[in-house]
Every structure is written in C-alpha cells, then in structure tokens.
Amino acid sequence: MNELIECPKCHSDELLISDNETTVLCSECGVIKRDGVWLIESPKIVETTA
C-alpha cells in the first residue's frame, strides 16, 4: 500500500490501517480508503420547485 501521510478530507495524520493493509480509516472524520479508493461523502443538495 502507498505510504499515507494525512487524510484527504480533514488532513489529520491519525490514520488506522487494517492488518492486511487494504483498509484505512481516519480516526478524526471517519473517511475510509478501501482497495486504493477514498470513500468521501459530499453534501447532497436538493432543490424543490413549486
């Protein structure tokens, strides 16, 4: 796995890495990296029209 320095969302360096090194979890904001892909939620914007 590539060496990680910080979370791409909150920039924390408190990352928890699984034993098999396939999953990384940020202990600050909960962002997960699984199989090389960061899973970051973005706010959803819903527009209503009358």
Side-chain angles (χ1 to χ4, degrees), residues 27-46:
S27 64
E28 296 293 321
C29 70
V31 168
I32 298 172
K33 181 178 184 180
R34 182 167 296 137
D35 298 324
V37 178
W38 285 102
L39 306 173
I40 302 174
E41 282 190 29
S42 59
K44 308 268 189 288
I45 299 174
V46 177

Side-chain angles (χ1 to χ4, degrees), residues 1-48:
M1 178 177 279
N2 297 336
E3 184 176 330
L4 299 172
I5 298 172
E6 64 184 24
C7 171
K9 182 176 180 183
C10 71
H11 306 290
S12 169
D13 62 353
E14 299 292 322
L15 301 175
L16 306 170
I17 302 172
S18 66
D19 290 339
N20 59 4
E21 298 183 353
T22 58
T23 303
V24 176
L25 173 68
C26 176
S27 64
E28 296 293 321
C29 70
V31 168
I32 298 172
K33 181 178 184 180
R34 182 167 296 137
D35 298 324
V37 178
W38 285 102
L39 306 173
I40 302 174
E41 282 190 29
S42 59
K44 308 268 189 288
I45 299 174
V46 177
E47 289 185 31
T48 57

